[in-house]
Amino acid sequence: MIDVRLDAEPSHAIAGKWVTPMTPTQLRAYVAVVRLGSVKQAAAELQVSESAVSLHIAQLRKEFGDKLFARTAAGLAFTPGGLRLASRAAELLGLQDRTMLEVSAAKRGRRLLRVAASSLFAEFAAPGLIELFAKRAADLDVELSVRNPGSFGSLLLTRAADIAIGPQPSIVDSAIGCRPVMNYRLVIAVGPGHPLAGLAASPGQLREQTWLLGPSAATEWGAVPALLRRLAVPDERQQIFQSHAAALGEAKRGKGVAPALAFTVAPDVRQGQLAQVVGPHATTEAVWHAQVLATPGSMSAAEELSRFSSTPRAIQAMMRGAGVSVGHFRPSVHVTLWS
């Protein structure tokens, strides 16, 4: 007689043993432990008990016949299999999340393009670019999230983002394509009554100023952090605001100096509300780059945006900005949607 158990978990064979397949819940617990380096912190982030996380890890260890990691005085030490599982788990979870979003969007007859951007690009250049690009396809929703440029590669490889735009990375994974989008110039802006207004300041003079900075200064990559490192600006001289616009507002009131995109402050300079510090130490030339997964076949929306973003029309839109109609603007803390 054949015994059929309808309530049993489906099984498969690994190394000749029948085991229960891993679940997304187990993978999320494992990825959290890998990223945070602690079962306790992973449990807190996932809002479950430590015993629940430990149980998921134990199930994965049993399934793979690999202890995956061990605790040492320096933290967690991962086995080769544990490192491989961490990479695959993040990729699988990212693909699952993306699939759920795409299926939901498809049900509504829409496509979803997820754009990860550095804070400087997201605040000043992305609105005009996305508004112009989204108008080209009536069935396209564009989700913009501000991310640390250092995470762009992992976001793309795990399918958590479709395209990333920001500073040029120092190293690009062979699975990722990278292309320049737009050249820009970073200048130092001050209030019209500031002692350095219109003057050629030395590195020493700039170091002594109070620096009014946007969120981009809190990351490692990009033109603003590079400028601060080049001038060796002390931490106690740096004030970081919730946006670059807020930092420029303080500069207008004479509170200090603020790095700014030349094309964004040009109108204020013409109107006398801001002035520029001049000289070679006060100007930086930089380039934004777009990164997408290098996949063969038909062109995706991400690849289309990557190519479109370097066209003259797109660059004009990024420099001039674009208003988004109220009905198509749905803000969140870190995410904005255009449709």
Side-chain angles (χ1 to χ4, degrees):
M1 186 177 80
I2 299 176
D3 181 15
V4 179
R5 296 182 58 195
L6 297 179
D7 61 339
E9 292 271 359
S11 300
H12 60 282
I14 294 181
K17 296 181 179 180
W18 287 93
V19 295
T20 300
M22 56 189 175
T23 66
T25 302
Q26 293 170 354
L27 294 181
R28 290 190 190 281
Y30 184 71
V31 168
V33 171
V34 172
R35 181 163 46 82
L36 299 172
S38 164
V39 170
K40 182 178 181 179
Q41 293 183 44
E45 179 176 277
L46 297 173
Q47 298 182 336
V48 298
S49 65
E50 291 182 45
S51 60
V53 173
S54 297
L55 176 62
H56 293 319
I57 300 302
Q59 290 169 334
L60 289 172
R61 283 171 166 163
K62 180 180 179 181
E63 178 172 345
F64 289 103
D66 188 322
K67 68 178 183 179
L68 304 178
F69 64 85
R71 292 180 178 84
T72 68
L76 299 182
F78 292 87
T79 67
L83 291 175
R84 178 63 61 86
L85 177 60
S87 174
R88 290 300 188 193
E91 183 176 347
L92 287 169
L93 291 172
L95 186 58
Q96 181 194 38
D97 292 341
R98 178 178 178 179
T99 300
M100 292 177 67
L101 286 171
E102 289 180 347
V103 170
S104 176
K107 184 178 180 181
R108 297 180 287 113
R110 306 197 62 80
R111 294 178 295 154
L112 177 64
L113 175 63
R114 295 166 302 166
V115 181
S118 63
S119 60
L120 194 64
F121 181 87
E123 185 171 343
F124 292 110
L129 172 65
I130 292 176
E131 176 68 3
L132 182 62
F133 183 74
K135 287 179 179 178
R136 294 157 54 93
D139 65 337
L140 183 66
D141 290 338
V142 183
E143 176 189 273
L144 173 67
S145 61
V146 178
R147 301 298 186 106
N148 187 326
S151 69
F152 281 177
S154 62
L155 290 171
L156 293 170
L157 291 172
T158 59
R159 274 70 173 183
D162 302 307
I163 180 172
I165 307 179
Q168 181 178 13
S170 56
I171 300 175
V172 181
D173 191 282
S174 59
I176 296 175
C178 182
R179 61 187 297 141
V181 168
M182 175 181 170
N183 299 326
Y184 67 93
R185 188 160 56 95
L186 194 71
V187 298
I188 297 177
V190 295
H194 194 279
L196 295 183
L199 299 181
S202 67
Q205 288 176 306
L206 292 171
R207 274 194 296 273
E208 295 172 355
Q209 306 303 313
T210 297
W211 284 73
L212 311 169
L213 306 166
S216 60
T219 64
E220 182 180 356
W221 306 104
V224 173
L227 174 64
L228 297 173
R229 288 194 295 267
R230 188 171 73 246
L231 295 175
V233 178
D235 289 346
E236 60 269 20
R237 292 286 184 180
Q238 301 180 32
Q239 297 181 10
I240 299 181
F241 294 81
Q242 74 273 18
S243 69
H244 300 88
L248 281 172
E250 290 296 291
K252 289 179 180 180
R253 290 187 279 273
K255 302 296 184 180
V257 303
L261 296 170
F263 67 84
T264 64
V265 297
D268 287 330
V269 171
R270 287 194 297 268
Q271 296 169 12
Q273 297 180 5
L274 282 172
Q276 285 185 212
V277 180
V278 299
H281 304 294
T283 304
T284 301
E285 302 289 336
V287 185
W288 281 314
H289 284 69
Q291 300 178 60
V292 297
L293 281 179
T295 54
S298 59
M299 183 179 295
S300 65
E303 292 167 326
E304 186 181 351
L305 176 58
S306 175
R307 294 173 182 270
F308 176 74
S309 59
S310 60
T311 63
R313 282 190 65 205
I315 291 174
Q316 288 179 2
M318 286 186 278
M319 294 181 67
R320 295 175 181 173
V324 183
S325 63
V326 174
H328 288 172
F329 182 67
R330 285 165 277 171
S332 180
V333 177
H334 297 291
V335 176
T336 305
L337 293 176
W338 280 264
S339 62

